[in-house]
Amino acid sequence: ALDVDSSTEVQGFTITGGYANEFVTDNHGGGMYNAGGSPTVINCTFVGNYALLAGGAMSNEWGLNGLGSSPTIVNCVFSGNSAEYGGGMYNTDGTVMVANCTFSGNTTYEASGGGMYNWLSSPTLTDCTFSENWGSVWAYDNEGGGGMCNDASNPTLTDCTFNANWGALVG
């Protein structure tokens, strides 16, 4: 979703098998890549997606318009996705709103934020559940965060639950 506004709505889809594995250009957002876009995503399931670098299921970041992404994500499930940063979701330079969503069984390899990774971002999460996410981290990088990793970020969480998330030191 490049530079789309909030009038763009994605509703009721299952997004699975996404594979962003290019070494240089296409390595973010295995399931959905929002670059400067702010779509509304409702009742969707992101399962089994992969990104080589960031946002196995979804990546929200700045676009060609110079603006960060500010999608609204409601009643969605992020399960069994993987990436180096943010197995379930990766957010940078935007104000993402997430409500009534579940992040479970997402993983990172060599980095952080199994469920969600936030970098220079201020997401707002309400009534979300993070369970059984895995964030592995190299010994030189002390971020971790099985459920969520916040790097230079200021998220607002209301009535969110974190249960059985794991961060492990490797290397």
Side-chain angles (χ1 to χ4, degrees):
L2 297 174
D3 303 331
V4 299
D5 63 23
S6 59
S7 68
T8 301
E9 187 173 291
V10 178
Q11 185 170 352
F13 286 92
T14 295
I15 299 169
T16 186
Y19 201 70
N21 68 337
E22 289 288 322
F23 184 70
V24 177
T25 56
D26 181 20
N27 56 18
H28 289 217
M32 184 175 205
Y33 179 63
N34 295 311
S38 300
T40 300
V41 181
I42 303 170
N43 297 324
C44 289
T45 299
F46 294 82
V47 61
N49 298 288
Y50 168 84
L52 180 64
L53 187 59
M58 181 184 289
S59 185
N60 302 303
E61 49 195 270
W62 56 84
L64 298 175
N65 60 8
L67 300 174
S69 293
S70 297
T72 299
I73 301 139
V74 181
N75 296 326
C76 292
V77 174
F78 296 82
S79 180
N81 303 287
S82 63
E84 184 171 349
Y85 292 91
M89 184 183 293
Y90 175 82
N91 301 311
T92 185
D93 196 31
T95 54
V96 179
M97 196 287 288
V98 183
N100 301 313
C101 291
T102 300
F103 295 80
S104 66
N106 300 291
T107 60
T108 62
Y109 54 91
E110 300 180 10
S112 310
M116 180 182 290
Y117 186 94
N118 300 308
W119 179 57
L120 299 174
S121 185
S122 299
T124 299
L125 288 83
T126 305
D127 295 319
C128 292
T129 300
F130 290 80
S131 64
E132 298 181 8
N133 297 289
W134 176 270
S136 60
V137 61
W138 286 101
Y140 65 84
D141 178 14
N142 291 319
E143 292 172 348
M148 179 185 292
C149 179
N150 298 302
D151 185 1
S153 294
N154 190 22
T156 300
L157 283 71
T158 305
D159 296 327
C160 292
T161 302
F162 290 78
N163 183 39
N165 297 286
W166 298 91
L169 190 62
V170 296

